[in-house]
Amino acid sequence: MNGGIGRMRLIGAVFVLLSAAIVYQMVRIQNSEHSRQLVEMFAKTYNQQVRVIIPERGNIYDRWGNLLAGNKEVYEVGIAPQQVINPETVARDLAAVLEVDYYDTLRKAESYRKEGNERYEVIKDFVPAEKIRMLEEKVNAYEQAEKPKKGPAPSLVGVFWRPHLIRSYPENELAANVLGFYNYLDRWTGRGMLGLEEQYNNLLAGNKQQVILPMNPTEIQEIPEIPPGASLITSLDRDIQAAMERIIDQAVEANGAESGTLVVMDPKTGEILAMATTPHFNPNEYWRYGEVFPLGSYFNRAISQLYEPGSVFKVLTMAAAIDAGAVQPETPFVDVGAIEVGGIWIYNWDRGAWGPQDMVGCMQHSLNVCLAWVAQELGPTQFYKYLQDFGIGRYTGIDLAGEQVYPLSLPGDTNWYPVNLGTNSFGQGVAVTPIQMITAIAAMANDGKMMAPHVVKAYIQDGVQYAVNPRVIRQVVKPDTARTITDMLAASLENEASNALVEGYRIAGKTGTAEIPGPGGYTSMTNASFVGWGPVDDPRFIVYVWLEKPTSSPWGSVVAAPVFSQAVEELVVLMKIPPDEVRQQLASP
């Protein structure tokens, strides 16, 4: 009995090995050089070709159905030499309309008569529809004209055009840094590059199909129809995106900044409503990519460029300390202008001493010394545990290709020193991206729940729409902590009459000014930023502003805070958010 089972297992193993060998041989043969040569010989001998039928690429829409990326019909124009009646007309008209070489076209048009060539010859690809209409008008004119008394009649017989699709971005530069691009000039192996086009390439592209077709399009009887790729509905709002791009462009120019980034998120869902970065890029002309983004620069700074954030990071430090019970808003602190951490002295941004403060005052005046003390009260174990929970040093997982991350140095690492506890508390010595910062701080506007940031709201496949549901990453702080931080930051803006305030709306927020490290230490250039959310009683948005190396002023309160205010003034209109007083009256019984 046992011997029979053993033989059956042996036979089964032999069959498995044989099947694997057959599959291996099939793959090897299909991808071998000999196989490629056979396909080429088949095409030359039988005037046929192995054609990959590419399905229509899926569209990309904003949240309201406005088309951001779609497809446009263009044409391939070619000649069937054996059908050409008047080579001179063919060469003359194609050269004039398509702007191709007359003599090369004439040679191809005469190739059947002179060489017996029956192969279909492509003259030009990616021809716009208006050019085809011009050719059609000539065809109609020749058909209606009287035949000449001598010589061949003008004729475009033997000229054919067949349509195909290219990627099209009807809004040109709008949201290009989010969309990415599709290298459509490569008709057979093109793929999505960067942004959504790369992240969702397989879904957008659909499934290709390989068939054998005559090279002469006049001999093609039927091309198989295959389903299109899936379409994406994004969380972007076209009007908000356009407004934010305009605002950040103006801010970069007005402040002489090297670049600008402005991100708007719904803190309750993690949906990105707008993501505006500079410089801009037109994906319809994707081959100019290198002119706009030289080697070493980033396509989308919001997710790819790492930088030291400065004082906006204090929101996380204070939230962690309050959540752990290390301090409370009313906790007193006497600022003497300096504090020693790990044997190194830390100073305030103005090198001044601010005297008696509470935690609201520490945040309002953005006191480095106070926040370093707060981090010490919290202790390194808890401090870095909270930072990890906030996602510092970790990918947010946003659904865009190209996200970068820098590891967070932790106690025990070779590159961590005791002074890091102090400097990290106010955003120095730690590298983040804007998407990491807005994702972490958005938890303050969402009762302590940190949501996964995402750009795709739904996708449509085979006529069915599938929703992408919001996802909670984790509860990083308690709801009471989040509301306390919100109230503290709203009060600090009001107490200092901040440039970030918006009339009629109570806003919470924090400035950031960070020196930029260089090879020999910190330079005089800064990163100026501001993060804010509102309305504080029912947050509908959180906005992150970052201006890189502004020359008008180094301070986030001067440079970035007014940009935030401008952004919110537009947002409340576009999002139809009434002023606080009106909303509260409507809500009251």
Side-chain angles (χ1 to χ4, degrees):
M1 183 71 174
N2 289 339
I5 293 173
R7 282 193 296 276
M8 290 296 291
R9 287 177 176 171
L10 178 61
I11 292 169
V14 169
F15 275 112
V16 169
L17 290 172
L18 284 173
S19 299
I22 290 169
V23 170
Y24 170 77
Q25 278 292 91
M26 290 173 63
V27 172
R28 186 185 67 81
I29 290 171
Q30 288 175 354
N31 292 278
S32 69
E33 178 64 20
H34 184 62
S35 174
R36 187 186 63 80
Q37 292 172 355
L38 282 174
V39 170
E40 290 180 357
M41 184 187 72
F42 179 84
K44 290 178 181 178
T45 304
Y46 299 100
N47 199 26
Q48 291 182 310
Q49 60 183 329
V50 177
R51 177 75 63 83
V52 176
I53 305 299
I54 300 174
E56 181 177 350
R57 192 170 179 85
N59 295 331
I60 303 177
Y61 302 94
D62 85 337
R63 66 190 302 117
W64 308 116
N66 297 303
L67 184 65
L68 300 177
N71 304 292
K72 182 172 65 175
E73 192 170 71
V74 293
Y75 293 81
E76 175 191 282
V77 178
I79 297 173
Q82 73 275 27
Q83 298 184 33
V84 172
I85 295 173
N86 191 326
E88 289 77 14
T89 304
V90 168
R92 184 190 67 240
D93 287 353
L94 294 187
V97 175
L98 305 184
E99 299 176 352
V100 295
D101 184 76
Y102 170 83
Y103 295 103
D104 181 61
T105 307
L106 181 61
R107 179 185 59 78
K108 291 176 179 177
E110 294 178 330
S111 62
Y112 178 72
R113 297 181 185 182
K114 294 185 175 182
E115 307 165 19
N117 174 38
E118 296 183 358
R119 287 174 58 86
Y120 176 73
E121 298 282 354
V122 176
I123 301 301
K124 190 170 184 178
D125 201 355
F126 304 103
V127 177
E130 56 267 25
K131 297 285 188 180
I132 299 302
R133 285 195 292 271
M134 293 170 66
L135 291 176
E136 288 173 341
E137 288 172 2
K138 287 183 177 294
V139 168
N140 293 333
Y142 294 150
E143 289 177 350
Q144 295 172 12
E146 293 183 9
K147 293 184 180 179
K149 292 182 180 177
K150 32 175 163 173
S155 173
L156 285 178
V157 171
V159 177
F160 297 91
W161 44 85
R162 53 183 173 183
H164 65 88
L165 299 175
I166 62 170
R167 201 60 165 164
S168 173
Y169 301 89
E171 300 283 354
N172 296 312
E173 295 183 358
L174 185 73
N177 301 64
V178 178
L179 297 172
F181 60 88
Y182 179 79
N183 57 334
Y184 61 80
L185 290 179
D186 189 344
R187 283 185 61 183
W188 313 120
T189 59
R191 61 173 290 108
M193 310 290 286
L194 302 169
L196 290 171
E197 291 278 26
E198 180 176 333
Q199 183 73 18
Y200 289 94
N201 182 69
N202 292 339
L203 196 61
L204 289 163
N207 297 314
K208 300 177 182 179
Q209 186 172 329
Q210 200 173 67
V211 296
I212 297 174
L213 295 173
M215 294 188 71
N216 188 337
T218 63
E219 299 175 7
I220 297 176
Q221 301 298 316
E222 185 177 350
I223 296 178
E225 288 189 13
I226 52 180
S231 290
L232 306 179
I233 300 172
T234 70
S235 58
L236 298 177
D237 184 304
R238 183 187 63 179
D239 295 336
I240 294 177
Q241 179 72 28
M244 298 306 112
E245 288 188 9
R246 172 172 45 80
I247 289 170
I248 201 64
D249 286 350
Q250 292 171 349
V252 168
E253 183 177 357
N255 293 287
E258 187 170 294
S259 72
T261 298
L262 201 168
V263 183
V264 182
M265 175 193 282
D266 182 338
K268 297 178 181 178
T269 64
E271 292 179 358
I272 302 297
L273 303 179
M275 183 177 280
T277 67
T278 65
H280 294 299
F281 168 74
N282 188 343
N284 289 306
E285 300 176 343
Y286 69 85
W287 50 88
R288 299 183 184 275
Y289 176 86
E291 299 173 15
V292 181
F293 300 97
L295 190 66
S297 63
Y298 292 100
F299 181 70
N300 185 347
R301 282 172 158 84
I303 66 168
S304 299
Q305 186 152 338
L306 295 154
Y307 75 108
E308 293 193 6
S311 295
V312 290
F313 205 81
K314 293 172 181 174
V315 177
L316 305 184
T317 301
M318 187 60 71
I322 288 177
D323 196 66
V327 298
Q328 296 300 324
E330 61 275 9
T331 298
F333 176 75
V334 178
D335 180 58
V336 297
I339 188 171
E340 185 179 6
V341 182
I344 305 294
W345 285 96
I346 289 173
Y347 303 91
N348 287 322
W349 57 272
D350 63 347
R351 295 275 173 161
W354 289 72
Q357 300 288 330
D358 58 12
M359 294 300 102
V360 175
C362 286
M363 294 297 282
Q364 177 182 329
H365 304 305
S366 201
L367 304 180
N368 297 343
V369 171
C370 179
L371 270 293
W373 174 80
V374 168
Q376 288 182 315
E377 291 294 298
L378 183 59
T381 300
Q382 287 197 95
F383 176 70
Y384 287 102
K385 172 63 168 60
Y386 272 102
L387 292 192
Q388 288 178 300
D389 285 348
F390 276 120
I392 306 304
R394 298 174 175 177
Y395 290 100
T396 66
I398 189 169
D399 51 347
L400 293 173
E403 183 181 9
Q404 300 294 316
V405 71
Y406 191 83
L408 176 66
S409 297
L410 301 172
D413 293 346
T414 55
N415 59 344
W416 186 89
Y417 304 94
V419 69
N420 286 37
L421 178 63
T423 57
N424 291 171
S425 71
F426 52 86
Q428 191 177 82
V430 59
V432 298
T433 59
I435 194 63
Q436 282 180 301
M437 288 305 298
I438 194 171
T439 299
I441 296 175
M444 302 304 107
N446 190 37
D447 288 337
K449 293 190 291 291
M450 190 166 72
M451 306 299 295
H454 61 283
V455 179
V456 171
K457 189 176 176 66
Y459 64 94
I460 303 169
Q461 191 168 36
D462 298 328
V464 180
Q465 182 169 317
Y466 302 90
V468 176
N469 295 319
R471 180 173 62 87
V472 179
I473 297 176
R474 67 182 64 86
Q475 182 88 33
V476 284
V477 296
K478 295 183 282 292
D480 285 347
T481 301
R483 289 191 284 270
T484 297
I485 290 292
T486 297
D487 288 338
M488 288 175 64
L489 294 178
S492 70
L493 293 182
E494 291 158 356
N495 292 342
E496 66 175 321
S498 169
N499 290 327
L501 294 175
V502 179
E503 186 176 354
Y505 299 85
R506 192 161 194 248
I507 300 295
K510 181 73 186 74
T511 58
T513 303
E515 295 175 320
I516 298 175
Y522 284 91
T523 68
S524 60
M525 302 302 293
T526 65
N527 284 308
S529 54
F530 189 93
V531 62
W533 58 97
V536 294
D537 61 330
D538 181 22
R540 297 276 305 281
F541 56 79
I542 179 169
V543 177
Y544 195 90
V545 178
W546 168 37
L547 290 172
E548 184 180 12
K549 301 179 182 177
T551 56
S552 61
S553 169
W555 306 112
S557 58
V558 176
V559 173
V563 180
F564 169 84
S565 180
Q566 293 170 33
V568 173
E569 285 175 352
E570 298 251 10
L571 276 175
V572 294
V573 174
L574 293 170
M575 296 180 71
K576 298 180 174 61
I577 304 173
D580 292 350
E581 185 178 348
V582 175
R583 285 186 303 103
Q584 289 158 7
Q585 287 176 353
L586 292 172
S588 61

